[in-house]
Amino acid sequence: MCGIVGYTGKNEALPVVTGGLFALEYRGYDSSGVAVLCGGKTEIVKKTGKLENLMAALEKAQLKGTCGIGHTRWATHGEVTETNAHPHTVGKTVLVHNGIIENYVSVGKMTNTDFKSTTDTERACALFNELYERCGDGLQTITSACREFVGSYAFLVMFKDEPDIFYAVRNGCPLVVGTADGGFAACSDVAACDFGEYYKLSDGDVAKVTKDGISFFDKDGAPISKEALTPKKSFSAPDKCGFPHYMLKEMEEIPTVLKNTLEAHIKDGLPYFEGVEDEIFKNMNRLRIVGCGTAYHAGLVCEHISRRLTGIEGDIYIASEYRYSGHKLNKDDAVIFITQSGETADTLACIRMCRAQGAYTLGVVNVPTSTAVEECDGVILTHAGSEIAVASTKAYVTQLAALYLIVLKMSLVKGTLTEDEVRGLCGELLNGVCAESRLSDTDKITINRIAEKYSECRDMFYIGRGLDSVLCSEASLKLKEISYVHSEAYPSGELKHGTISLITEGVGVFAILTDERLYLKSIGNIEEAAARGGSVIALCKEGFCKDKNYDLIPCRISNDLFAPFAVAPRFQYFAYCMTIIKNLDPDKPRNLAKSVTVE
Ligand code: G6P
C-alpha cells in the first residue's frame, strides 16, 4: 500500500528517495510523487501510474537538494489524480502521509484553506501549516497537530523555512528512521532503505531528522531515547532472477521454502516452536485464528485439519470483522494470527485487542522485522523469504506448513496422536510433501493448455468437498485477483441451492477432488453442473476422473491429509497462466496492495 521515504544528509536526496520508492513499489500503488527542499523553497513532482512516469518527469524537472520526501499512493480518499497524489503542500508545510485521518472533515474546518484535492492528507497538511504559522516551531507543530487527529498515520513533514530537516511521526502505521547514504533516512519499511542502524518509531513518537542526526521526542515533545537496531539481512533484495514475473519465481521456490519452514520447526522429528510453551497448545480447547485474504484461507485449512487430528473445532475470523465483533477472551485463551507481511492494519488491531484482554497471541508471520513479530507473545516464523508479487503463493504454502505443525503439536500434547504417529506425519511432510508440491514440465504444459482453452471464460465456479472445499476459496481468490475472471468458491453440494442457476454453456467449473471418501459424491455434483453446460476442469488425485470427459490436472498425493501442498501450487499456476494469456501483469494487479496498512 502507500509507501513513504525521506532523506536528509550530505548527498542528493532524490536518488535515495526514489530508490526507496522503487523498493516499496511491489506493495501496490496508483500514483507517486516527491518533494525536495532547497533554499527555502520546495519543488514537487507528482504523477499518476507507474513510477516510471514519475522518473520521466523528474528527468525533465532536475530537482536538486539534499533534503526530500517521497510517496507511493494507494487511493483511499479521492480518485487517482496528480492533485490527490502526495506530497501535499499548504503554505510553508510539505508532507507525505500513510494511513487515514478519519476526522479529516473537521480537521479541514479548523483551518481557513481553499483545498485543491479531495484527500484527508491535504486537510492534515493545512492543520500542520496553521499551527506552524502560529508558533514557528516544527516540533511543537507536530505534537499539537497530532493531538487533533483521529485515525492512523505515518507522516514525514518538512517546513520550508527549516532547511535540511524533516519530521517523522506515527500512529498505527509503520515508520522507521536511521542512518543511510551519508545522512539520515526514514521509511515505512526498513527493507526499502539501505540502513546502517535504524530506530523503530512507536505510536506517538516524533523524530526530528536533520542532516547531522536524529533526535526523538514523545507525544508531548519531551526528549526520549530509542534503541538502535541493525537491519536483519535475512531477506534478499527483490530480484526476479531471470523469471519474467515475481509470481512465477515465487511459485518455483515453493518446494524449497516449504522445506525451510518445516526444517525450522521440526526438531528430533517432532514439531518445535522456539519460545512457545507446550502449555499454550495444551490449553487450546478451541482453535481461534485471525487473518485477512490468503492468510484467512490458510486458517480455514488449519481448522479442518485440527478437527480431523485433534477433534478440536475452531473459529476462523476475518480480522476486519473480528476487531469489532465484541468477542470476550480471558488470560487462558490463545489466538493465532496469520500474516505474511506482519503489517496488515486489521490483523495488528486484533493482536492489540486480544492482548488487552489478557489472551496469549501467537503470530504465524513471514517478515521477521514486522510489527506483528514485535507485538505477539509468541511467534512462529514462516520461512518463505520476501514475497513481492501481490498474489500470495509461496507464503500461503509455508503458512499451511506452520499450521499443520501447530495441529500436530496440539495432537501430541493433548494425546490425540501418539508420539510415533506425529513423528511419522512430520517425516511425511518433510520427505514426501515437498516433492509433491513441485510442478514438472508436463504439469506446466497441461495446466497452460487448459488455461488457453478457458481463457475466454468469464465466470469460474470452484467446487469441492471437505478439505477441497476450503482450498477452493484460495483457488478462486487467486484466479480473480490477478486474471480478473469472476469466480466463486462453493462447497460442491451447495451448488444446487442457488448458484447452479448461473451455470450455463461456457461457464467454467473448476473441481478439486482429492478425498477418496467423498469422490463419488463430488462426481455427482460435478455432473449436475456439466449437465447444465458447465465446462469442467478437475484438479484431482492421480487416477481420479479417468473415465470422465473433464480437463484433468492430475497430481500425486500420497496422503489425503496433505493434499493442499500438491493442490495449491497447481491452482496458483493455473491462475498465473490465465493472467499471462490475457496479457495482464500478475505481479501488480489493479487496485490491490501487497501490504494493507489501512483498515
Ligand atoms: C492483501 C494481499 C493478500 C494478503 C492479505 C493479508 O490483501 O494482497 O495477498 O493475503 O493482504 O496480508 P498479510 O500480509 O496479513 O498476510
Side-chain angles (χ1 to χ4, degrees):
M1 233 165 203
C2 303
I4 53 180
V5 188
Y7 174 82
T8 181
K10 59 178 192 287
N11 292 321
E12 283 295 316
L14 213 48
V16 183
V17 170
T18 53
L21 294 184
F22 271 108
L24 293 168
E25 194 181 17
Y26 76 96
R27 291 175 163 236
Y29 67 105
D30 41 50
S31 53
S32 58
V34 293
V36 170
L37 181 59
C38 190
K41 289 205 305 206
T42 46
E43 299 219 45
I44 299 179
V45 177
K46 311 199 263 193
K47 282 283 157 202
T48 56
K50 300 236 157 145
L51 273 174
E52 279 74 18
N53 302 347
L54 179 71
M55 295 312 282
L58 285 172
E59 228 164 76
K60 288 196 199 124
Q62 297 279 325
L63 302 198
K64 292 271 168 229
T66 54
C67 183
I69 54 179
H71 190 261
T72 46
R73 173 175 189 250
W74 187 86
T76 57
H77 290 60
E79 65 274 33
V80 182
T81 61
E82 261 173 44
T83 311
N84 285 340
H86 302 205
H88 284 278
T89 183
V90 176
K92 290 178 176 168
T93 309
V94 191
L95 57 75
V96 289
H97 167 221
N98 283 0
I100 296 176
I101 301 299
E102 289 168 10
N103 62 337
Y104 71 100
V105 175
S106 57
V107 164
K109 283 185 184 150
M110 292 163 81
T111 73
N112 193 13
T113 311
D114 202 2
F115 293 108
K116 298 185 186 69
S117 79
T118 47
T119 63
D120 52 331
T121 304
E122 193 188 13
R123 273 77 185 160
C125 188
L127 182 61
F128 278 116
N129 193 61
E130 182 101 0
L131 297 171
Y132 188 73
E133 291 287 2
R134 273 186 229 156
C135 73
D137 178 78
L139 177 63
Q140 197 183 324
T141 300
I142 302 287
T143 53
S144 321
C146 288
R147 265 177 228 130
E148 305 296 338
F149 297 143
V150 175
S152 59
Y153 51 80
F155 282 111
L156 299 182
V157 189
M158 302 192 294
F159 298 103
K160 291 179 190 172
D161 50 13
E162 290 198 8
D164 302 317
I165 297 175
F166 68 83
Y167 296 86
V169 61
R170 71 158 255 182
N171 180 53
C173 292
L175 191 56
V176 296
V177 293
T179 57
D181 291 279
F184 301 90
C187 191
S188 46
D189 181 345
V190 67
C193 283
D194 192 12
F195 283 115
E197 57 184 24
Y198 73 100
Y199 305 82
K200 255 189 158 174
L201 296 192
S202 303
D203 284 349
D205 288 352
V206 185
K208 179 177 181 179
V209 188
T210 76
K211 67 180 176 24
D212 302 313
I214 309 170
S215 19
F216 297 99
F217 304 89
D218 70 9
K219 62 179 182 18
D220 300 314
I224 54 169
S225 59
K226 302 277 301 173
E227 185 197 351
L229 305 165
T230 318
K232 289 194 188 112
K233 301 285 180 200
S234 59
F235 274 20
S236 47
D239 182 358
K240 283 188 199 153
C241 300
F243 288 95
H245 301 102
Y246 281 110
M247 185 176 173
L248 186 59
K249 171 186 174 259
E250 289 160 7
M251 288 186 292
E252 285 291 329
E253 290 170 348
I254 286 175
T256 310
V257 295
L258 187 51
K259 189 159 183 282
N260 293 347
T261 306
L262 291 165
E263 282 180 349
H265 301 299
I266 296 180
K267 200 173 161 190
D268 300 328
L270 295 171
Y272 165 77
F273 307 113
E274 195 181 329
V276 188
E277 304 275 331
D278 281 6
E279 285 305 298
I280 299 297
F281 302 105
K282 211 174 202 164
N283 293 340
M284 273 188 193
N285 291 323
R286 195 143 188 94
L287 195 64
R288 292 188 178 82
I289 301 184
V290 177
C292 300
T294 292
Y296 166 73
H297 291 157
L300 295 177
V301 173
C302 182
E303 200 269 342
H304 195 95
I305 299 302
S306 169
R307 249 187 295 126
R308 202 151 146 184
L309 294 185
T310 67
I312 292 186
E313 297 187 1
D315 305 306
I316 317 302
Y317 298 102
I318 289 171
S320 54
E321 288 298 311
Y322 188 67
R323 68 186 286 188
Y324 299 113
S325 63
H327 278 272
K328 294 276 171 282
L329 297 164
N330 63 49
K331 64 176 181 33
D332 296 323
D333 293 324
V335 186
I336 299 172
F337 299 88
I338 311 172
T339 168
Q340 186 283 129
S341 63
E343 302 295 352
T344 303
D346 284 314
T347 307
L348 291 179
C350 293
I351 294 172
R352 289 164 193 155
M353 182 184 98
C354 295
R355 277 181 66 110
Q357 294 190 50
Y360 182 88
T361 52
L362 178 59
V364 175
V365 190
N366 191 40
V367 179
T369 50
S370 62
T371 308
V373 167
E374 203 171 286
E375 299 197 2
C376 281
D377 296 306
V379 174
I380 298 175
L381 286 177
T382 53
H383 292 265
S386 64
E387 191 179 67
I388 303 297
V390 165
S392 184
T393 53
K394 61 174 182 170
Y396 170 68
V397 180
T398 58
Q399 285 164 351
L400 294 181
L403 294 166
Y404 267 74
L405 291 178
I406 289 176
V407 174
L408 289 176
K409 180 73 163 180
M410 283 168 70
S411 319
L412 185 66
V413 296
K414 287 176 176 292
T416 56
L417 291 178
T418 65
E419 189 176 310
D420 279 352
E421 284 169 328
V422 173
R423 205 180 283 283
L425 291 171
C426 284
E428 270 188 58
L429 271 171
L430 260 175
N431 301 321
V433 166
C434 294
E436 288 174 4
S437 71
R438 190 184 302 278
L439 270 66
S440 67
D441 287 347
T442 316
D443 292 328
K444 288 181 191 162
I445 291 166
T446 305
I447 294 171
N448 197 41
R449 183 183 45 76
I450 297 174
E452 295 261 2
K453 181 172 166 189
Y454 286 77
S455 61
E456 297 299 316
C457 170
R458 293 183 53 193
D459 303 283
M460 182 77 78
F461 287 85
Y462 283 81
I463 58 170
R465 281 175 175 261
L467 184 53
D468 295 336
S469 124
V470 282
L471 292 174
C472 284
S473 305
E474 177 60 11
S476 166
L477 173 66
K478 255 349 55 151
L479 183 72
K480 62 187 152 200
E481 67 182 340
I482 56 173
S483 76
Y484 315 148
V485 173
H486 163 253
S487 75
E488 284 184 43
Y490 259 84
S492 305
E494 184 65 12
L495 211 57
K496 58 171 110 23
H497 296 288
T499 319
I500 205 159
S501 62
L502 298 173
I503 309 276
T504 54
E505 207 63 43
V507 169
V509 177
F510 193 116
I512 301 182
L513 288 97
T514 64
D515 193 333
E516 198 104 46
R517 296 167 308 161
L518 300 170
Y519 179 68
L520 292 176
K521 305 273 174 217
S522 296
I523 292 290
N525 299 134
I526 297 170
E527 288 299 316
E528 288 161 4
R532 282 151 185 91
S535 308
V536 180
I537 304 170
L539 169 46
C540 59
K541 188 167 166 167
E542 245 171 18
F544 285 10
C545 306
K546 277 204 155 153
D547 55 338
K548 299 286 172 196
N549 189 22
Y550 307 153
D551 290 299
L552 289 194
I553 306 176
C555 49
R556 191 157 58 82
I557 295 167
S558 37
N559 183 345
D560 289 3
L561 184 68
F562 299 131
F565 297 99
V567 166
R570 285 163 174 84
F571 67 60
Q572 292 169 352
Y573 192 72
F574 174 75
Y576 174 79
C577 292
M578 289 283 280
T579 308
I580 299 303
I581 293 163
K582 288 171 174 293
N583 216 7
L584 297 167
D585 180 354
D587 289 346
K588 297 190 198 105
R590 69 177 175 223
N591 301 339
L592 293 180
K594 182 72 181 162
S595 178
V596 179
T597 48
V598 294
E599 73 169 288

